[in-house]
Amino acid sequence: DVGLVKLRIADQRDLDEAFQDVRKKLEGRGRILIQSQIDTDFELSAGFLRDAQFGPCVMFGLGGIFSEIQQDVRFALAPIRHSEALKLMDQIRGKKMLTGFRGVTPLKMDAMADLIVRLSHLGADNPDIEQIDINPVAITSGNPVAVDATMILRSEGIHLK
């Protein structure tokens, strides 16, 4: 929202301009991360949280800007099995997007389910993990790729990104 993410950097001049612009906006705070940009067909999100009432939960839904606009997410108690992850993915309102909507390569459902299962076990098996947010999970040629993740550890109050 404040212009700290720069996309479609084609050459060194673009990189230099983007770097200087971000550096100016950071006003001496934080660090700058430069990474490859991948072509994305659509974006999903996956997460883990330790709910005060329900305990360990895993989350799946639409990601990127859709996570703010649509708020189309579903939760399940963690840890979950592969079959449960597939059912969780089938519950979102935007599930049509996962199946190859308008010529986009369909999501490799088993690969996404595997990501959700592993995420659910990572959180459930580690009591110091309060929350994990992977948003976006970029879908490129049907493959899920975690692009950005944040982890909050309970005992130390540390935010890792």
Side-chain angles (χ1 to χ4, degrees):
D1 291 340
V2 294
L4 296 177
V5 175
K6 303 294 181 181
L7 304 174
R8 298 181 235 343
I9 297 174
D11 55 33
Q12 187 65 44
R13 187 177 67 84
D14 289 350
L15 178 61
D16 291 341
E17 287 176 11
F19 184 84
Q20 292 306 322
D21 183 54
V22 169
R23 193 167 141 198
K24 181 179 176 182
K25 289 177 180 175
L26 285 173
E27 299 174 344
R29 300 178 316 243
R31 295 181 292 180
I32 298 174
L33 172 67
I34 300 171
Q35 62 188 42
S36 300
Q37 183 174 336
I38 60 172
D39 291 330
T40 301
D41 296 323
F42 56 96
E43 297 175 339
L44 300 172
S45 65
F48 170 85
L49 64 96
R50 202 168 296 282
D51 185 78
Q53 182 175 359
F54 296 106
C57 298
V58 68
M59 180 276 299
F60 170 78
L62 295 182
I65 62 168
F66 291 115
S67 62
E68 297 172 32
I69 296 170
Q70 294 282 331
Q71 299 176 350
D72 187 5
V73 298
R74 297 295 180 268
F75 293 87
L77 298 178
I80 63 173
R81 296 185 310 269
H82 189 84
S83 60
E84 295 168 316
L86 290 171
K87 287 178 185 174
L88 184 67
M89 293 163 39
D90 190 52
Q91 292 174 2
I92 65 169
R93 291 184 311 273
K95 66 184 174 183
K96 190 172 187 178
M97 188 179 297
L98 311 180
T99 62
F101 184 69
R102 293 194 173 207
V104 172
T105 302
L107 171 65
K108 293 181 179 171
M109 301 291 274
D110 286 329
M112 187 69 217
D114 188 48
L115 185 151
I116 295 167
V117 168
R118 290 172 184 259
L119 180 62
S120 81
H121 283 275
L122 175 65
D125 294 345
N126 293 282
D128 284 340
I129 297 176
E130 184 70 31
Q131 182 177 331
I132 303 171
D133 182 32
I134 306 174
N135 187 16
V137 176
I139 308 304
T140 179
S141 300
N143 296 300
V145 179
V147 175
D148 191 6
T150 302
M151 180 184 296
I152 299 173
L153 300 178
R154 176 190 298 174
S155 62
E156 298 145 19
I158 297 173
H159 298 265
L160 302 175
K161 188 165 184 164

